[in-house]
Amino acid sequence: MGLELTFKDWTSKSQTIMTSPAPPSSASSIRILPEVIGRGRLEARALIAGFHGIGATGYWTVKYLIQELKARRICYIDSEFAPAVSSTVKNEISTPYELFGVEDLVFLKAEVPPLRENETRFFRELSQWIMGSGIQEVTLIGGLDETLRSDDSKYRLVLTDSMKAGEHGRGLEAEPILEEGRMIVGPVAVMLNQFQMRGYPAAAILSYSNTERIDPRAAAAAVEFIAKRYALKVNTEPLIKGAEDLEKELVGLAQKEKDKGGPSGAVYS
């Protein structure tokens, strides 16, 4: 069958190929494990990625989608720039960066950010690997300061030139686009720049989010967009309920502070 297996082949065989070791690459800090996947092509329709940022919107959106769609882990992303962090999920070790798959979609779960001084190089190299992996397009997810909202939109989009052209941009013509002069920072900015300069189709959905706390409502807006874009059935009710419960809790804390005569902003410290 060779290395030109399709993404579905990878997911169906993940239980048998997850044992192959991989030597470090001299050209990049990025290593895809098992080695057979790193040297092959995923041939996936899209990769969806989100990171820690405003409202932790990207991180929680991806984590929620993986959970709701029951996506399977297909490989690990190793790098000398990966932080020294490990955790467990469902009695299995969870490493900092992993790819999960369901049908023809791939999800990048970034559990923790790289150290600040390594962030730009890490995400530049990750972008370069993605562009050569066989993945057809990328959707990035981030948060956008809700105080910048000028209408009733739940989010704004940013599109590379290649995303706007041809089939990749189909269905995005009427979507709200980020206004000129707004600054994007962090991993989403690094990856968007790489994709734009190299003519690769990519989009970023930036959900309006609270800048002081985790915002499940912003994650719900991103999930709804992803579900519509890629014809997925995902229930966002748990996210909305989580947002409502959190908002009630914050109101209660604010009232307690008011009753004690403390500063109303203390609930966000």
Side-chain angles (χ1 to χ4, degrees), residues 74-135:
I74 58 172
C75 63
Y76 306 97
I77 300 174
D78 188 25
S79 168
E80 62 189 89
F81 302 130
V85 175
S86 185
S87 61
T88 58
V89 177
K90 296 181 179 178
N91 295 321
E92 292 185 352
I93 293 176
S94 175
T95 63
Y97 310 111
E98 300 174 342
L99 292 183
F100 286 74
V102 60
E103 298 182 359
D104 58 355
L105 297 177
V106 178
F107 298 89
L108 169 62
K109 182 171 74 69
E111 197 65 30
V112 290
L115 295 177
R116 179 70 66 181
E117 60 267 27
N118 302 327
E119 183 179 74
T120 297
R121 181 176 173 185
F122 176 81
F123 286 108
R124 280 170 61 98
E125 293 181 351
L126 180 60
S127 300
Q128 290 163 12
W129 175 78
I130 291 170
M131 287 184 280
S133 68
I135 294 169

Side-chain angles (χ1 to χ4, degrees), residues 5 8 19 22 43 48 50 68 74 101 106 132 136 139 160 173 191 208 211 227 246 249 254 261:
L5 294 176
K8 290 183 180 179
T19 58
E43 304 298 351
I48 299 164
E68 290 297 299
I74 58 172
V106 178
Q136 297 174 26
T139 296
T160 64
E173 299 86 355
M191 299 181 77
Y208 286 111
T211 61
L246 179 58
E249 181 180 350

Side-chain angles (χ1 to χ4, degrees), residues 112-211:
V112 290
L115 295 177
R116 179 70 66 181
E117 60 267 27
N118 302 327
E119 183 179 74
T120 297
R121 181 176 173 185
F122 176 81
F123 286 108
R124 280 170 61 98
E125 293 181 351
L126 180 60
S127 300
Q128 290 163 12
W129 175 78
I130 291 170
M131 287 184 280
S133 68
I135 294 169
Q136 297 174 26
E137 68 178 45
V138 167
T139 296
L140 305 170
I141 305 163
L144 183 60
D145 186 346
E146 64 184 0
T147 64
L148 301 176
R149 193 197 307 261
S150 59
D151 54 29
D152 60 355
S153 299
K154 296 180 180 179
Y155 56 81
R156 286 286 191 267
L157 292 189
V158 182
L159 310 175
T160 64
D161 289 345
S162 185
M163 190 70 168
K164 298 174 187 176
E167 292 296 317
H168 289 286
R170 187 180 299 277
L172 300 177
E173 299 86 355
E175 294 288 351
I177 301 299
L178 184 67
E179 300 90 341
E180 289 188 20
R182 303 298 189 201
M183 193 70 69
I184 305 169
V185 298
V188 171
V190 175
M191 299 181 77
L192 277 177
N193 290 343
Q194 290 297 303
F195 296 144
Q196 170 68 15
M197 291 186 291
R198 288 166 172 76
Y200 186 84
I205 171 174
L206 307 175
S207 293
Y208 286 111
S209 175
N210 189 295
T211 61

Side-chain angles (χ1 to χ4, degrees), residues 47-60:
L47 178 141
I48 299 164
F51 310 100
H52 298 79
I54 295 177
T57 303
Y59 170 75
W60 283 108

